[in-house]
Amino acid sequence: MGIQDIISGVATLAWFGAIAALGWLVFNSARGQRMGGSAAFVIAIAVVAAVLSTVAAGIVFIQPTQRGVVISAVGQGGIRSTALEPGLHWVIPFAEQVRLYDVSRRTFTMSSTGDEGGATVDEPIQARTRDGQFINIEASVIYSIDPARIIELHKTWQDRFQEGLVRPAARGVIRSVASQYGVEEIVSLRREEMTERITELLRKQLSENNLILQDFVLRNITFSEEYARAVEQKQIAEQQAQQAAFVVEQRKQEAEQARQIAQGQADAAVIAARGEAQARIIQAQAEAEALKQIAEAIRDNPDILTYQYIQRLAPGVQTIYLPSNQPFLLPLPQPGGATSGTGTLPAPTTGITTTTP
C-alpha cells in the first residue's frame, strides 16, 4: 500500500466521521438540545477530510518500473512536456491526473500454444516463400516503451500500441522477409540470416514509434503436410544414399587392403627369389673358386690325382679282374691327359688279366 492510498483511506474515514458528527448534531437539535461547540467540531472534521482528500488527489508515487504522463487542464496543450520519473510527486489536485505506463519488458508471442507463461499470445503467421510454399512461423517479440519518448507514445498510441503497432508490424515484417527466401533456405542454410533481417527491420519500425525492440525470437517453422512428406522422403533418400556411399567406401577399403596384402606377398616372393638367386650365385662362385683351387693344387702336385684315383677304388687293392672278353687294361690317370700302362694286350686264355700297381 502506497502513501497515496494511506492518505486517501484517512481522508475517507474523516469524511465518515464528519458525516456521523453532523448526523448526531442534527439528531440532538431535533430533540431541542443545545450542543454548544458541536457545530465547530463537525466543521473541523469536515475541513480535515477535505484537506486530506485534496492532498491524496495531488500526491502521486511512481514505481521504479513506471513513468507518469501528466494530463493537465491548466497547462498549455493539455499535457506536461516531461514525464514523471520514479518517486513521489505532486500534481494540481482535481486539475491534473497522471497516466501511468509500465516501461519494463513485454512479450508478444505468435504461437499455436495457448499458454505462454502470461505473455500475450496471438495466432502463428502464415507466410508464402519465394518458391510458393506456405509456412507457419511462430515467433516472440520482446519490447519495451522508450522512457525518454513516452510523451510522444501517449499522444500517438496511448495504451493501444500493442494491438495497433506491435502486432501488425511484426506480422507484416515477418511475411515480407520470408517471401524473399526459398523454403529450403529457411529450413537450413539461411534461417539465421532471415532472423537477423527481421530483427533489424522490426527494430527500426518500433523505434520510429517510440518503442524499443529488446529481442526477436524465431520459435518454430512448420510446413504443409505435402511438403513435410516430401522433406521426409528426401531425408530418407539422402540417408539411403549415404548408406550406399558408406558401403561403396567400405568395399573400396577392403579392396585396397586386399591389394596391399597381395602386393606385400608379391614383394615377399620377389625378395625370396632374389635371395635364392643370390644364394645360388654365391654357391656357384664358391664352387668355381673350389675347382680353381683344386686345379691349381693338381697342377702343382700331379701325383695327387693318381693318389685320389687309387683311394677311390678301395684301400689295399692289388689286382683288378676284368671280363675275359675285355682286351684292354684300365689305364692310370696321368696329369695332362696321359695314361699309364703298357697299352693293348692280347686277351689271356684264362680270361683274367692282372697288373701290379
Side-chain angles (χ1 to χ4, degrees):
M1 180 179 293
I3 186 172
Q4 184 180 13
D5 296 329
I6 295 175
I7 295 175
S8 297
V10 174
T12 301
L13 292 176
W15 281 114
F16 277 121
I19 294 173
L22 180 62
W24 177 257
L25 180 62
V26 171
F27 177 74
N28 288 331
S29 298
R31 295 175 59 186
Q33 296 181 0
R34 299 181 62 182
M35 300 301 294
S38 298
F41 177 73
V42 171
I43 293 173
I45 294 176
V47 170
V48 170
V51 170
L52 291 175
S53 296
T54 302
V55 171
I59 289 180
V60 178
F61 180 73
I62 307 298
Q63 298 288 340
T65 59
Q66 295 176 332
R67 297 293 185 273
V69 176
V70 180
I71 301 171
S72 177
V74 296
Q76 188 176 6
I79 190 172
R80 289 191 186 181
S81 59
T82 58
L84 299 181
E85 298 290 329
L88 193 63
H89 299 272
W90 171 264
V91 296
I92 301 175
F94 311 112
E96 294 180 333
Q97 60 178 347
V98 179
R99 184 71 173 271
L100 298 178
Y101 285 91
D102 190 351
V103 296
S104 60
R105 295 187 176 189
R106 307 170 185 229
T107 301
F108 178 74
T109 298
M110 293 158 284
S111 172
S112 57
T113 304
D115 185 9
E116 292 292 336
T120 303
V121 179
D122 195 15
E123 60 185 6
I125 304 167
Q126 188 178 63
R128 183 188 290 270
T129 62
R130 186 179 58 195
D131 47 5
Q133 294 290 335
F134 281 102
I135 59 174
N136 291 320
I137 300 176
E138 298 182 6
S140 292
V141 179
I142 303 174
Y143 70 99
S144 62
I145 297 173
D146 187 352
R149 301 163 66 186
I150 196 168
I151 301 299
E152 290 79 3
L153 178 72
H154 175 79
K155 291 179 179 179
T156 306
W157 296 104
Q158 296 185 14
D159 58 353
R160 298 176 289 103
F161 52 85
Q162 181 160 282
E163 287 297 322
L165 173 62
V166 177
R167 181 180 186 274
R171 301 179 76 88
V173 169
I174 292 173
R175 285 195 179 99
S176 175
V177 174
S179 65
Q180 302 173 20
Y181 294 88
V183 65
E184 292 288 344
E185 297 173 333
I186 294 175
V187 171
S188 56
L189 300 178
R190 304 180 67 183
R191 175 170 177 166
E192 184 176 354
E193 177 186 327
M194 185 184 74
T195 303
E196 291 177 355
R197 293 187 62 182
I198 293 174
T199 303
E200 180 181 355
L201 293 176
L202 191 57
R203 177 178 285 113
K204 180 180 179 182
Q205 194 162 345
L206 294 185
S207 177
E208 292 173 352
N209 288 273
N210 312 307
L211 296 175
I212 300 174
L213 177 65
Q214 302 293 345
D215 195 10
F216 173 78
V217 181
L218 185 59
R219 298 160 57 92
N220 189 29
I221 299 176
T222 57
F223 311 93
S224 62
E225 294 183 0
E226 294 79 6
Y227 182 76
R229 284 195 297 268
V231 170
E232 182 179 2
Q233 292 174 358
K234 180 180 178 182
Q235 291 177 346
I236 293 174
E238 290 178 352
Q239 291 176 357
Q240 292 175 347
Q242 291 176 358
Q243 180 66 24
F246 174 77
V247 172
V248 170
E249 184 65 24
Q250 185 178 13
R251 295 293 182 268
K252 287 182 179 179
Q253 292 178 358
E254 292 175 353
E256 179 64 20
Q257 184 179 5
R259 189 193 66 80
Q260 292 179 357
I261 292 174
Q263 183 66 38
Q265 292 174 349
D267 293 342
V270 171
I271 294 173
R274 288 178 179 175
E276 184 177 356
Q278 187 68 25
R280 291 181 179 179
I281 292 172
I282 294 173
Q283 182 179 2
Q285 291 175 350
E287 292 176 353
E289 182 65 24
L291 292 174
K292 180 180 179 182
Q293 293 180 3
I294 291 171
E296 291 178 354
I298 292 172
R299 185 179 63 249
D300 296 336
N301 299 283
D303 294 336
I304 292 177
L305 184 60
T306 303
Y307 175 76
Q308 291 293 330
Y309 178 75
I310 295 170
Q311 287 293 108
R312 292 289 182 181
L313 292 176
V317 173
Q318 299 296 323
T319 302
I320 300 175
Y321 295 93
L322 297 174
S324 59
N325 58 353
Q326 184 65 255
F328 302 101
L329 295 176
L330 295 176
L332 294 175
Q334 297 293 330
T339 59
S340 63
T342 58
T344 304
L345 297 176
T349 56
T350 59
I352 298 176
T353 302
T354 60
T355 182
T356 300

